[in-house]
Structures are given as C-alpha cells and as structure tokens.
C-alpha cells in the first residue's frame, strides 16, 4: 500500500484510546481472576486463589473510570465521524455494500463505549466485602458479571469490524507511536492556552450546541459516570 494512503490516527486519540484500552484489559483479566478466586459457579480455570486480586481489580477499574471521560469527550466530538450517524438506519439497508460495513463498524465503536459505561457503573455499585463474605447473590454483582461478558463481546466485535473495514494497517495505525508534526505534544501547551482563552471569552456557552444525538450520548455517559462516583457515598455512609 502506498504510504500516503496508510491510515493515520491523531496522537491524542491514540493516547486516550490506548490508556483506556490498557487499563480496561487489566480490569478484564483481574476480573476473571477475582471471579475464579471467589465464585467459580460457572466453571473456570484453576488459577491460584489470590484474595488480593479483588483490590488490584478495583484499582484497574478505577483507572479506567478516570481516563474514560476524556476518551468519551474525544470520541463524541473530534472523533464523531466514527460513531453512529443520523443516516445509520438507511445505510443498514444496503446489506453487504462497503457503506454497510462502515456503518457496522461505527455501531460497534459506539457499542464499546456503552458496554464500558455499564461495566464501570455496575463496578462502582459493587460492595468490596460482598465476595470475601461469600455474598454472591447481590443484583449488582450479577449485573457486573454480565457487564464482563458484554464488554468482551463488544471488544471482539470492535476488533473484527476494524479488521474488516481496514485490515491490519488500520489496527496497527491505532498502536503505533509515530506522529505527524502537526500532532506533536510540543503544541499541546499552546493549544490548551488558546482553548482556555476562548473558554473564558464565553465559548463554553456553545459546548452543547447544537445538541446532536452524539452530544446527547456524551452527556448521558458523563452523567452516569458522575453518578457512579456519587451514589456509593450515600450507600456506605
Ligand atoms: C484492545 C485493543 C483495541 C484495538 C486494537 C482497537 C482498535 C481500534 C481501531 C483500529 C480503531 C479505528 C477504527 C475506525 O476507524 O473506526 C478504533 C477506534 C475506536 N475504538 Fe478501539 N480498539 C481497542 C480497544 C477499544 C476499547 C476497549 C474501546 C472501548 C472503550 C474502544 C473504543 C473505540 C472507539 C470509541 C473508537 C472510535 C474512536 C474515534 O475515532 O473517536 N476500543 N479502535
Ligand atoms: C469489563 C469488565 C469489568 C470492568 C471494566 C470492571 C470495573 C470495575 C470498577 C470501575 C470497579 C469500581 C472500583 C472502585 O470502587 O473504584 C469495580 C469493582 C469491582 N469489581 Fe469489577 N469490573 C469488571 C468486571 C468484573 C467481574 C467479572 C467481577 C467478578 C468477580 C468483578 C468484581 C469486582 C469487585 C468484587 C469489585 C469491588 C472491588 C473493590 O471495591 O475493591 N468485576 N470493577
């Protein structure tokens, strides 16, 4: 493939997507080990019993929760072309055409965001003493277990669709470190200053206008993340 047509991902996207992905993979693997240590009702692999894995999992989960809002803002604004579009339903009628695959890819990107929102929210509703006390019946524990299955399926579909529409060049473009001059972190301080100056002059008034479906999705995800931090404060008080 000619170099100029190789896919290129903005550096900020790669940083936010990569950090979310790494913390999430840590959460998924440690979640499995937690299940294996304390539960195992649906079978498992005989990993060593390791009680500390629960708080290691909580730490991976917390880091995912901290980085995810920034990724959501990126995906719903600069990255919006790669999430569901207003014409998604019409495009879905063109079964098998390239537009159909691109539309499925956008749907699976969006599903990955929703799946992670559910996993993070249900994680925050977990009590850290439930599993050590053998309380395997809480509704939020079942919800959190199901969120793991949904998350693994969502990532599998996400990877399959990305592979289908762009093959390994697209997958690798998300994982490389090289960046173009215009994307250099050396410009970030200046860009943040410009952004901050515009914000002070009132640019914030248009942050949520026009209220497109994707901005509504962004707000809904951010509100649920804030709720996930606040609700446990009342439960355990
Ligand atoms: C685990 C390894 C992962 C790989 C190799 C990977 C790969 C990719 C690739 C190649 C793209 C570009 C696809 C396109 O052009 O539409 C992409 C975009 C995206 N990925 Fe992933 N992904 C991974 C994990 C995740 C996870 C865990 C999430 C869930 C939160 C996620 C959410 C997204 C979203 C929302 C986009 C669209 C980003 C935008 O343009 O704003 N990815 N990913
Ligand atoms: C994609 C899958 C998962 C993600 C992203 C995830 C994420 C999280 C998050 C964000 C927390 C809250 C941490 C905090 O309080 O700051 C949490 C807690 C917890 N999760 Fe998960 N989780 C996943 C799957 C699972 C599974 C399958 C189990 C099954 C055993 C599990 C067990 C727990 C437990 C026991 C807690 C409470 C830990 C504590 O507060 O110390 N998680 N998880």
């Amino acid at each position: 493939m000619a170099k100029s047509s190789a896919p290129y991902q903005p550096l900020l996207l790669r940083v936010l997507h990569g950090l979310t992905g790494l913390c999430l993979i840590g959460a998924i693997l440690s979640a499995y080990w937690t299940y294996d240590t304390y539960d195992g009702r649906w079978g498992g692999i005989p990993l060593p019993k390791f009680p500390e894995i629960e708080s290691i999992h909580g730490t991976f989960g917390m880091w995912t929760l901290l980085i995810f809002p920034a990724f959501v803002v990126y995906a719903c604004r600069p990255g919006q072309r790669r999430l569901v579009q207003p014409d998604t339903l019409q495009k879905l009628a063109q079964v098998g055409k390239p537009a159909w695959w691109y539309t499925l890819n956008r749907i699976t990107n969006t599903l990955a965001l929703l799946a992670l929102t559910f996993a993070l929210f249900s994680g925050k509703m977990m009590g850290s003493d439930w599993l050590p006390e053998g309380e395997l019946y809480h509704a939020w524990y079942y919800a959190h277990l199901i969120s793991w299955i949904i998350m693994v399926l969502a990532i599998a579909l996400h990877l399959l669709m990305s592979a289908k529409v762009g093959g390994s060049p697209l997958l690798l473009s998300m994982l490389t470190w090289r960046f173009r001059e215009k994307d250099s972190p050396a410009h970030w301080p200046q860009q943040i200053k410009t952004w901050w100056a515009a914000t002070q002059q009132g640019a914030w008034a248009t942050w949520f206008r026009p209220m497109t479906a994707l901005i509504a999705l962004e707000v809904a995800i951010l509100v649920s993340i804030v709720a996930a931090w606040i609700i446990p404060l009342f439960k355990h008080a």
Side-chain angles (χ1 to χ4, degrees):
M1 185 190 284
K3 198 153 192 271
S4 58
S5 64
Y8 178 77
Q9 310 298 341
L11 182 61
L12 186 57
L13 169 62
R14 276 179 280 154
V15 169
L16 295 174
H17 179 270
L19 286 176
T20 307
L22 280 179
C23 296
L24 175 59
I25 289 167
I28 288 177
L29 297 177
S30 57
Y32 185 80
W33 202 346
T34 308
Y35 158 82
D36 222 58
T37 294
Y38 289 108
D39 190 339
R41 281 173 290 174
W42 296 274
I45 41 178
L47 293 172
K49 296 270 172 276
F50 181 38
E52 287 79 17
I53 195 68
E54 180 186 348
S55 65
I56 296 175
H57 168 72
T59 309
F60 275 119
M62 192 195 68
W63 280 107
T64 318
L65 196 56
L66 287 174
I67 187 80
F68 186 53
F71 180 42
V72 170
V73 171
Y74 186 98
C76 295
R77 289 164 187 267
Q80 54 171 290
R81 279 179 304 111
R82 290 194 272 193
L83 300 180
V84 286
Q85 306 293 311
D87 64 359
T88 288
L89 284 180
Q90 286 125 288
K91 288 269 164 64
L92 272 185
Q94 307 175 12
V95 179
K97 300 236 174 80
W100 187 68
W101 289 108
Y102 283 111
T103 302
L104 287 184
N105 180 45
R106 291 183 176 128
I107 293 176
T108 50
N109 287 354
T110 313
L111 278 180
L113 293 180
L114 292 173
L116 186 50
T117 308
F118 178 47
L120 295 174
F121 188 88
S122 56
K124 265 289 177 195
M125 298 304 117
M126 286 283 298
S128 52
D129 47 355
W130 290 351
L131 302 190
E133 309 256 328
E135 300 175 10
L136 303 179
Y137 48 76
H138 292 277
W140 277 117
Y141 176 52
Y142 283 108
H144 198 46
L145 278 175
I146 292 167
S147 80
W148 186 92
I149 298 170
I150 296 177
M151 194 70 245
V152 170
L153 289 176
I155 295 184
L157 283 176
H158 174 54
L159 295 182
L160 277 175
M161 283 300 154
S162 301
K164 169 74 193 165
V165 301
S168 56
L170 178 62
L171 292 176
L172 292 174
S173 71
M174 208 60 180
L175 303 174
T176 157
W177 284 109
R178 270 171 303 160
F179 53 81
R180 294 178 183 160
E181 212 299 306
K182 74 168 175 49
D183 261 8
S184 167
H187 301 315
W188 290 358
Q190 185 54 44
Q191 283 163 348
I192 292 172
K193 266 191 218 147
T194 312
W195 173 84
W196 180 237
T199 302
Q200 281 179 316
Q201 284 160 19
W204 54 269
T206 57
W207 275 356
F208 298 102
R209 271 186 274 154
M211 182 51 99
T212 59
L214 277 184
I215 300 293
L217 176 79
E218 178 203 28
V219 171
I221 295 180
L222 294 179
V223 166
S224 67
I225 291 174
V226 171
W229 284 107
I230 295 177
I231 293 169
L233 301 179
F234 293 96
K235 272 213 311 211
H236 305 303

